[in-house]
Amino acid sequence: MTSSDPEKLMAKADKMTKLSFTRWNADWKNAAVLYEQAGISLRVGKHYEKAKLAFEKASKGQEMLSSPWDAARHMESAAAMAKEIGSWNEVADFYRRASELYIECGRSQPASDAVAKGARALEESLPEEAVNLYINACDILEEDEKEQMAFDLYRAAASVYIKLEKYEDAATVLLRWGLAADKCNAKNSQCKAYLSAIIVYLYIHDLKQAEQCYNDCLQTDAFMGSDQFRSASKLLSAYREGDTEEIKRVGQSSIISNLDHVIIRLARKLPTGELNAFQAGAAREEEGDELDEDNLV
């Protein structure tokens, strides 16, 4: 057994951190170095479970030394090892802890990146947890007024929500992306986000919410003069008129083809329900408006 044997390094480090009658203070400084060396060696040897434990201990050592940056870095390594062995709950926990440690350093970008890595790792196995991590990553950047760096995260979160068939949540995230883009003066992204949200509402056959979303988006000058605005207007008009062919034609348009793939797939399937109900509902609303006007006379 050589001095570079990871098992020996771990044992030596463990001994340094245990208090006894002859050792009154833990030697975290040297132990952290040994844990890191053991973790690297075990990772190279593909002993991922043991490497995970080594990096966890290296992270704890750096915390004890009041070095949150190095602690976060080792915690990310532990998360990567947890991913290798399919320990998905640990993946989430470790990346969250790494993010918290980066925040202690005042570093929002790596803090957001850490939970985003966790989200990407969990999309297939734990999609609910993945979307929570994506939202967490967005929150971190928004708090630091770095919304422009979160655009891909909003899109990823919306995509996972759609896969989970949580369409209203997806629309909410898309609108949140639109507001963030507005703050950054990223007009093209803003308009794409708004049109995408409207398409999501149409996909779940909620014309009322789609129109409300459309009217809210009209409050922004950027959307009013955009190609996305024109596509949304055409879609809603076609729904009101019960024109299935026009809905399909707009769904195949180049403007919609430039949206994210998950949104394009939804748009290509429109309309998803009977249009007669929409027309009847619109007629009732018009009659109600006329009665209201009479009451005002």
Side-chain angles (χ1 to χ4, degrees):
M1 186 178 287
T2 66
S3 59
S4 61
D5 187 299
E7 302 283 355
K8 186 174 181 179
L9 293 174
M10 289 284 287
K12 187 176 180 181
D14 285 342
K15 187 176 180 179
M16 289 177 174
T17 61
K18 288 180 181 177
L19 303 183
S20 66
F21 288 113
T22 57
R23 185 187 298 278
W24 290 14
N25 296 303
D27 183 2
W28 284 107
K29 183 176 181 180
N30 287 310
V33 173
L34 295 178
Y35 285 134
E36 180 182 8
Q37 290 174 352
I40 293 170
S41 180
L42 289 163
R43 181 173 60 194
V44 171
K46 298 185 178 180
H47 302 294
Y48 299 126
E49 180 68 49
K50 291 180 178 179
K52 173 176 68 70
L53 179 60
F55 285 124
E56 277 187 85
K57 291 186 173 185
S59 179
K60 180 181 177 181
Q62 293 298 339
E63 279 195 74
M64 298 299 289
L65 296 168
S66 299
S67 180
W69 177 269
D70 290 322
R73 187 167 52 83
H74 293 320
M75 190 55 69
E76 284 202 78
S77 296
M81 296 302 92
K83 178 185 174 183
E84 290 290 343
I85 61 176
S87 184
W88 304 118
N89 287 324
E90 284 190 313
V91 170
D93 291 343
F94 291 166
Y95 274 122
R96 274 203 176 91
R97 181 58 188 146
S99 179
E100 291 168 358
L101 289 163
Y102 283 128
I103 288 173
E104 283 185 32
C105 304
R107 300 291 298 275
S108 62
Q109 185 65 58
S112 176
D113 288 345
V115 282
K117 287 176 189 176
R120 285 189 286 272
L122 297 175
E123 277 196 24
E124 296 300 323
S125 54
L126 295 176
E128 296 270 7
E129 187 65 22
V131 81
N132 289 335
L133 290 171
Y134 276 130
I135 297 300
N136 187 196
C138 293
D139 290 339
I140 291 168
L141 292 174
E142 285 183 358
E143 287 173 11
D144 204 23
E145 298 183 349
K146 293 181 178 178
E147 288 90 352
Q148 191 158 6
M149 295 181 178
F151 286 7
D152 287 342
L153 301 173
Y154 296 119
R155 295 163 64 188
S159 177
V160 176
Y161 272 135
I162 288 170
K163 289 176 184 176
L164 290 169
E165 298 185 353
K166 292 189 172 184
Y167 298 108
E168 291 181 353
D169 289 327
T172 298
V173 170
L174 289 165
L175 292 172
R176 182 173 169 181
W177 173 26
L179 289 172
D182 187 30
K183 291 181 181 179
C184 305
N185 200 32
K187 295 181 180 179
N188 191 47
S189 293
Q190 180 184 5
C191 294
K192 284 184 176 182
Y194 288 161
L195 174 58
S196 297
I198 292 166
I199 288 171
V200 170
Y201 282 125
L202 291 175
Y203 181 78
I204 59 175
H205 217 53
D206 191 342
L207 182 62
K208 184 175 181 180
Q209 192 59 52
E211 290 189 319
Q212 180 62 54
C213 180
Y214 172 79
N215 290 332
D216 290 343
C217 294
L218 289 182
Q219 305 305 312
T220 61
D221 293 337
F223 187 65
M224 277 288 290
S226 69
D227 290 335
Q228 290 79 13
F229 155 73
R230 284 183 279 277
S231 290
S233 297
K234 290 176 183 177
L235 274 175
L236 291 170
S237 293
Y239 266 89
R240 294 189 204 100
E241 295 166 8
D243 191 340
T244 300
E245 292 306 313
E246 175 66 4
I247 293 169
K248 290 180 178 180
R249 189 190 68 77
V250 177
Q252 296 286 337
S253 67
S254 60
I255 299 303
I256 287 178
S257 296
N258 285 322
L259 301 177
D260 290 341
H261 293 304
V262 290
I263 303 299
I264 295 171
R265 284 196 290 271
L266 298 186
R268 297 287 193 262
K269 295 176 182 178
L270 297 178
T272 52
E274 292 295 328
L275 298 181
N276 292 337
F278 284 147
Q279 291 175 287
R284 284 195 297 271
E285 286 182 11
E286 287 178 8
E287 289 175 6
D289 290 342
E290 289 175 5
L291 288 173
D292 290 341
E293 290 174 6
D294 290 341
N295 290 334
L296 292 173
V297 176

